[in-house]
Amino acid sequence: MRAGQGAVVVGVDIGNSTTEASVARVGDDGTVDYIGVALTYTTGVKGTVKNVDGVLKAVTWAAHDAGVTLGGLDVVLLNEATPVISGLAMETITETIITESTMIGHDPRTPGGRGLGVGVIVEFAELSETTGGEPVIALVPRGIDFEVAAAGIEEAVAAGVEVVAAILGNDDAVLVANRLSRRIPIIDEVSRVDAVPVGMLAAVEVAAPGQSIRTLSNAYGLATIFGLDADQTRVVSPVARALTGNRSAVVVRTPSGDVEDRAIPAGSLDLVGPHRVASIDVSRGAADIMAEVERVGPLTDVAGESGTNAGGMIANVRQSMADLSRHDLGDVKITDLLAIDTLVPQEVRGGVAGEVALENAVALAAMVRTRESGMQAVADAIAERLRSGGAERVSALVGGVEAEMAVRGALTTPGTDRPLVVLDMGGGSTDAAVIGRDGVIDAVHLAGAGDLVTKLIDTELGLDNLELAEEIKRCPLGKAESFFHIRLENGTAQFFDKPLPATAFARVVTLSHHGTDSGPAMNPIPTRHSLDRIREVRRTAKQRVFVVNALRALRRIAPAADLRRIGFVVLLGGCALDFEIPELIADAVAPYGIVCGTGNVRGTEGPRNAVASGLVQAYATDGARRA
């Protein structure tokens, strides 16, 4: 630092997902003049030496934004943060099994005709030989042209055969239906049409466009069709549940088969607290798990039953942190756990055509912390890299505890005052810090944030595409109703001068702000779910993670656990930029009289740069400057 000229200081916040930098000139009298900022992705796990590349990139970009060279810097300040890693597990706790194809639900996307047909399944080649006058369902294998199929059904009907429905292997349901003189329900695209049992009683139902089936999705409807007693109705109820909301379905009954909806062992968790230890079975659900966490808490460690998904997840995150931080496994502790009940579409075992059932599952997020921080090693590595690059007089220091720095930065938001709570919602964890009127700061770190929301969206919608689930999480939705307009999720319409992409027509799309001047970028969602269903899954996932964790954090750090004694809540981090998370949290805390909103650090940076700015403030006001 040059005497009489102050210092050029860079505050650097290494987060779970992003690294932020803030450059300022700090005068000898403690005045601060912010002159540059930068944001980049974090390299490696937060708090490890692998962060160095991301830090150097952020420092270089911030210095360029400030108009100074790396050699013109005096001090690089890092946040003191214990490494945190979150792991996720989705543990299914029920399982629908169909043996011998007793009840086979099928959900094709392009049915033909309309109505309900109940009859015996007959091979297409044998239609003309069918006698007896009983209703039949034509089973048309792959390889038969739609015109041939329609002509064969028409000839059979003319000969007195009562054809009440059809099951097709090809994607021809609409084409066949258009060529029949009598409307019947037709199911197509049965992937394993050769496995559909012939000679068995079956029911095929197709609803009108925009509607869903009513009979086959009702357990009592199935009981009526197949003459089931109470015990049999209870057994087949999972099939009805699996078909709810579908436009079409086929159900086949064989007398020797069986259907069951059974619970499968999900493993147990051992929760360790400072005064007690408890064991909880994951299959009991999220409410019981979280109640036990609160009774044991604050958690000092968690162990999972070996040989289960839950146990594997616990072991993996613990081992990952030990490898990254070079600590012994005994020094790595799980300090928080978040459990969420969800429904996961799973393929029905024993089904014929890829049938799915919504099965109960528990999503788990665990947060691991090491016994000590490795930030000084990160600071030493940064100083060495800067010196080797020609910035010989730059020093790198651990400038302050992250929670305290976040509060300092958040207090620069216009309109805030003590007592104040900072909620920093990132990818893997939710961090909260409170500063009372006396200036005392307390902090808490909870498992579960943006990554868990993405996982919930991906699994509940059956996407198997985390990138698409992330886009659904971040972007509002619309549906292209014509080539020149879309219907937004709030019900309004947006019109365009140029035709929309053909891939977007009649599809639900995400509306990214990274579009062109003519409108937002549209990414079609390849799923049969409606816009309302996708929106419901997205908002529910955010409520079960962000809102739940926000309230958990506030209750832990509120004075005397009374939320009404909190004056202001400032939301920081990337999730605070989300288009609906701040609204959801504000609505949740409104009954307690809390002022809640997205932070605006220094009145210019929005919810970003709070910790980096707080590091500079601490350097200027706490006598941390070095001559």
Side-chain angles (χ1 to χ4, degrees), residues 148-184:
V148 175
I153 293 174
E154 283 288 274
E155 290 175 5
V157 171
V161 179
E162 188 180 357
V163 181
V164 296
I167 301 173
L168 311 183
N170 294 335
D171 181 15
D172 294 335
V174 174
L175 296 174
V176 172
N178 290 341
R179 286 162 174 78
L180 299 181
S181 58
R182 177 171 170 265
R183 185 175 65 190
I184 62 173

Side-chain angles (χ1 to χ4, degrees), residues 157 168 247 281 318 348 413 429 501 512 519 528 530 536 538 549 574:
V157 171
L168 311 183
R247 187 190 164 195
D281 196 314
R318 194 191 305 274
V348 177
T413 296
S429 63
S512 171
R528 60 183 174 83
S530 67
E536 178 189 10
R538 184 196 70 211
N549 260 357

Side-chain angles (χ1 to χ4, degrees), residues 228-513:
L228 307 179
D229 59 26
D231 291 337
Q232 291 171 322
T233 302
R234 184 180 299 108
V235 165
V236 302
S237 61
V239 175
R241 193 172 70 242
L243 298 174
T244 301
N246 295 338
R247 187 190 164 195
S248 58
V250 54
V251 176
V252 186
R253 186 184 185 191
T254 59
S256 60
D258 190 18
V259 178
E260 58 180 311
D261 186 21
R262 68 171 188 176
I264 61 176
S268 61
L269 297 171
D270 294 326
L271 310 176
V272 182
H275 305 296
R276 60 177 298 184
V277 177
S279 180
I280 180 75
D281 196 314
V282 174
S283 63
R284 289 174 58 181
D288 285 354
I289 294 174
M290 295 311 297
E292 201 66 28
V293 168
E294 293 300 319
R295 282 193 291 268
V296 172
L299 286 179
T300 58
D301 203 5
V302 177
E305 181 181 352
S306 61
T308 66
N309 284 349
M313 184 270 287
I314 297 295
N316 285 339
V317 294
R318 194 191 305 274
Q319 187 63 56
S320 296
M321 178 55 78
D323 294 341
L324 289 166
S325 61
R326 298 180 181 178
H327 283 77
D328 293 333
L329 273 176
D331 293 335
V332 178
K333 304 296 182 183
I334 293 175
T335 56
D336 190 56
L337 190 73
L338 175 65
I340 296 173
D341 285 325
T342 183
L343 293 173
V344 180
Q346 297 285 342
E347 185 170 341
V348 177
R349 290 177 53 192
V352 166
E355 298 83 12
V356 297
L358 289 176
E359 295 172 0
N360 297 321
V362 174
L364 295 174
M367 188 177 70
V368 179
R369 298 173 68 88
T370 57
R371 188 171 59 183
E372 59 185 22
S373 169
M375 291 304 296
Q376 187 56 55
V378 178
D380 294 341
I382 290 170
E384 178 62 29
R385 288 277 295 273
L386 287 171
R387 283 194 292 268
S388 64
E392 298 180 356
R393 63 185 183 83
V394 180
S395 60
L397 309 172
V398 180
V401 177
E402 183 174 7
E404 181 178 346
M405 299 303 104
V407 168
R408 286 177 179 265
L411 280 170
T412 65
T413 296
T416 59
D417 196 5
R418 303 175 184 178
L420 176 141
V421 172
V422 169
L423 280 178
D424 186 351
M425 300 166 292
S429 63
T430 298
D431 304 322
V434 61
I435 182 170
R437 296 188 184 278
D438 56 1
V440 176
I441 295 175
D442 190 17
V444 65
H445 309 277
L446 304 178
D451 292 343
L452 179 55
V453 172
T454 302
K455 180 71 172 177
L456 288 173
I457 293 172
D458 182 57
T459 54
E460 291 193 14
L461 294 178
L463 300 175
D464 197 24
N465 185 336
L466 287 176
E467 290 186 5
L468 178 59
E470 180 73 14
E471 188 165 347
I472 292 173
K473 180 183 74 175
R474 294 180 179 274
C475 302
L477 303 171
K479 184 168 186 179
E481 295 184 337
S482 76
F483 284 113
F484 291 93
H485 88 281
I486 60 174
R487 182 72 58 183
L488 304 179
E489 66 175 64
N490 62 5
T492 61
Q494 182 177 357
F495 294 86
F496 302 89
D497 294 330
K498 297 181 179 180
L500 300 176
T503 55
F505 180 65
R507 303 294 294 272
V508 179
V509 297
T510 58
L511 303 174
S512 171
H513 64 279

Side-chain angles (χ1 to χ4, degrees), residues 48-202:
T48 64
V49 177
K50 290 186 178 180
N51 297 156
V52 172
D53 289 338
V55 171
L56 290 175
K57 183 181 291 186
V59 170
T60 301
W61 288 358
H64 182 269
D65 185 53
V68 299
T69 64
L70 290 179
L73 302 177
D74 291 292
V75 182
V76 174
L77 301 167
L78 304 180
N79 53 310
E80 172 66 72
T82 304
V84 174
I85 185 170
S86 289
L88 304 178
M90 195 72 71
E91 181 69 59
T92 304
I93 59 176
T94 61
E95 182 179 30
T96 302
I97 300 174
I98 297 179
T99 60
E100 300 186 27
S101 303
T102 308
M103 294 286 180
I104 303 168
H106 176 54
D107 181 27
R109 303 181 185 181
T110 54
R114 190 184 307 174
L116 174 67
V118 180
V120 175
I121 298 176
V122 175
E123 288 277 10
F124 176 74
E126 299 176 2
L127 271 181
S128 60
E129 303 174 5
T130 302
T131 59
E134 65 177 352
V136 300
I137 296 174
L139 180 64
V140 184
R142 295 181 182 275
I144 295 182
D145 185 77
F146 62 88
E147 291 186 339
V148 175
I153 293 174
E154 283 288 274
E155 290 175 5
V157 171
V161 179
E162 188 180 357
V163 181
V164 296
I167 301 173
L168 311 183
N170 294 335
D171 181 15
D172 294 335
V174 174
L175 296 174
V176 172
N178 290 341
R179 286 162 174 78
L180 299 181
S181 58
R182 177 171 170 265
R183 185 175 65 190
I184 62 173
I186 303 176
I187 298 294
D188 64 0
E189 294 186 88
V190 178
S191 58
R192 293 188 57 202
V193 67
D194 57 313
V196 176
V198 177
M200 300 301 173
L201 185 65

